[in-house]
Structures are given as structure tokens and as C-alpha cells.
Amino acid sequence: MPGGARALCASHRTLRPSEVSFDPRTTPARPELAASHLRGTVKVERYADGVDQEVVAGIAPMRAEPAHEAPLLTEALCGERVTIYDNNGEGWLWGQLRSDNYVGWLPEAALLAPGAQPTHKVSALRTLVFPGPSIKLPPTDALPMGARVAVVREQDTFAITSRGGTIARRHLAAISATEPDFVAVAARFLGVPYLWGGKSSLGIDCSGLVQVALTAAGIPCPRDSDMQERSLGAPVQLNQLIAGDLVFWKGHVAIARDRTSLVHANAFHMQVAIEPVAEAIARIAAGGSNVTSVRRIL
């Protein structure tokens, strides 16, 4: 859909009619299974206590169904903690991300028991993980912006992580560090391909770009554009637009660079692009969607 709409299309995540007040995207409940803390609130066949896990792959896809060809809902980044409620015995785990509460299926191979608490996060768009302190060694993985690692020591220009990886120190920032300008963070993704559910420089969608940029600036942000529209900032008029304002359509969001231009990941350009505000509004309106609100991050 033009503009990069995100929608939930997994039947296994549909709650019973009496439970429609719960958002299935962020409620760990299926008709046959729910998290134990929902007992007495959600009626299902059985309940499960959660097991803590940590994402150890650079990026772990969270899918609507336990299959590689299933729709991508979002992505979990290295170092994220996940509460797992189900294992299908065929390489897929069903659980909830701690960072934004999103629920879905993750590949079991991307998760391990939690290790040391992260001390640093990736501040570059992407960084390589080497098996030792040499750029001549073949990389073992690549970590996206926002991935978290526990650094145990430093050697020359490298940081050694608790899981044995070696990363360029200049690509890391302290876990408490924040970017001063989330608009500038978003602009660093210019040209990155549009990917429904994506959250990295390999591919990203409209709300993923907003989430990654705001998180880098230390501003908590939910995953999807409708969630962002409900919870972020305060409403302002379109004619009052300034840098950092979020412009929303049904199923789409863009970030104002200034009064006249936007940066957004969208399926029209199939990448992160800068577009004049007037052109974006006219183009998306021609596709049947008008601006629903403008929100200012306070």
C-alpha cells in the first residue's frame, strides 16, 4: 500500500470477541495459549510462564507465523531481551519483546539464555563483528544501529564483548548515551531500501525509522504508526510544521526536516527518501489517504 502502511494479518493472533480491547500485537495471547499473568483476564486453553531469552544474532525476524515465508511483523536487534511463552519444536519460539512489547514468532537459533547486561550500543548504521582484534579476519556477523552488547575489555581500537565478538570501538556508544537530533539520525538512513517490518540499514519501514531514530535519542517509542500517533507528543496544526514533527496518515508516518520537507521510508520510492511536504501530501491523497494528524515531540 502506498505510504508504507503496517497491518496485522495473522489469524493466530486474533483474540476472542470478548477480548477485543486487547491489542493482539502487544498482548501475548492466542486462542490456545496466553502468558500466565493474563490468567483471569484472557480466557484461553492454557497459560505459560515466560522464559527470558536474549537475541544473539545481529537481527532476528519476528514473524506472524512460525515459518520463514510468513509476513515480517518487526525485527528484534542483538542484545534485546525476549520473554518466550511457546516452542513449536521445529525451530520457532513465540514470545514478547521487552523493548516495545511486540509479540510474534522468532527463530530459535537467534536466541540464547541472557548473558551479561549490555554496556554499549551500536551508534553506526551498521558495524561488523570480528572473531578477533583484526580487520583482516572474516566477520562473523553485522550489528545494526541500536544493537546492544556487553563490553568486557578494550584492545587497541576494538571492544571485546562478553560473547567473544570484536567490534570497532568508534562504532559503539555507552548504553546511556543519546543522540541530540533524532531527525539527523533518520536522515542517515537515506537510500535504505523499504522493508515492511524492517528496522535496520538493510531495510526499514516508516514506523521502524521513527522508532529507531527516537530510541537513539532516548525517547521511548512504540512500534507501529497508529501506536505512535496515539502516544507520542502533542497535536499541532500542519501549517505550524517544524523540524521533528511527525506527520501521520492512516498507516503511515513521516518526520519533518523543516517546514517544507519530510524524511520517510515509503513504498512509493521503495526507500528512505526526502520529499517536499506538499508533494507527499498530494501524492498520498491521490492514493486515498489524507493527513490524520501532526504530533510534536515535547
Side-chain angles (χ1 to χ4, degrees):
M1 177 176 178
R6 288 179 50 79
L8 188 66
C9 55
S11 61
H12 78 282
R13 296 173 65 194
T14 301
L15 299 182
R16 296 179 179 181
S18 62
E19 299 156 359
V20 293
S21 61
F22 295 97
D23 190 332
R25 294 170 295 181
T26 55
T27 305
R30 310 193 314 248
E32 75 280 12
L33 175 68
S36 293
H37 69 266
L38 296 174
R39 190 186 301 271
T41 303
V42 175
K43 186 176 181 180
V44 296
E45 296 174 10
R46 63 186 179 93
Y47 299 88
D49 295 330
V51 176
D52 291 340
Q53 294 276 275
E54 178 182 347
V55 178
V56 293
I59 300 172
M62 176 170 270
R63 300 197 178 277
E65 302 284 351
H68 292 290
E69 65 274 16
L72 180 66
L73 300 176
T74 187
E75 292 178 323
L77 309 184
C78 183
E80 283 200 70
R81 301 298 167 95
V82 189
T83 304
I84 298 299
Y85 296 103
D86 192 20
N87 185 334
N88 76 346
E90 298 179 354
W92 291 91
L93 305 176
W94 183 75
Q96 184 172 38
L97 301 180
R98 295 273 189 85
S99 58
D100 59 16
N101 296 321
Y102 226 89
V103 175
W105 291 92
L106 293 159
E108 185 175 10
L111 304 176
L112 286 176
Q117 285 295 323
T119 61
H120 291 73
K121 59 187 176 182
V122 175
S123 55
L125 278 184
R126 182 164 297 274
T127 192
L128 297 175
V129 181
F130 299 96
S134 171
I135 60 173
K136 296 181 180 180
L137 295 172
T140 58
D141 204 349
L143 304 184
M145 176 183 284
R148 299 181 167 214
V149 296
V151 173
V152 294
R153 62 187 177 89
E154 296 180 352
Q155 183 173 337
D156 301 324
T157 59
F158 294 98
I160 315 301
T161 74
S162 61
R163 295 195 183 273
T166 302
I167 301 170
R169 283 167 48 195
R170 66 171 55 232
H171 286 178
L172 298 176
I175 202 71
S176 60
T178 57
E179 293 281 353
D181 183 356
F182 74 86
V183 182
V185 174
R188 292 170 62 186
F189 285 81
L190 281 176
V192 168
Y194 178 83
L195 174 65
W196 183 287
K199 283 180 57 175
S200 82
S201 62
L202 289 178
I204 199 163
D205 67 13
C206 64
S207 55
L209 180 66
V210 170
Q211 188 184 51
V212 169
L214 286 177
T215 300
I219 302 169
C221 179
R223 178 59 179 92
D224 290 349
S225 61
D226 63 318
M227 301 172 178
Q228 295 167 355
E229 187 172 19
R230 287 195 302 268
S231 64
L232 294 176
V236 296
Q237 297 300 310
L238 184 60
N239 60 11
Q240 299 173 331
L241 199 67
I242 62 173
D245 287 348
L246 303 179
V247 182
F248 290 93
W249 293 259
K250 181 177 174 57
H252 185 57
V253 58
I255 304 170
R257 295 177 65 245
D258 48 41
R259 291 182 60 87
T260 62
S261 66
L262 304 167
V263 57
H264 58 152
N266 65 90
F268 176 78
H269 296 96
M270 281 307 295
Q271 64 180 9
V272 178
I274 291 175
E275 187 173 12
V277 173
E279 289 185 16
I281 290 174
R283 175 177 60 76
I284 298 173
S289 182
N290 294 312
V291 172
T292 54
S293 72
V294 179
R295 309 284 299 183
R296 181 163 296 164
I297 305 299
L298 302 176

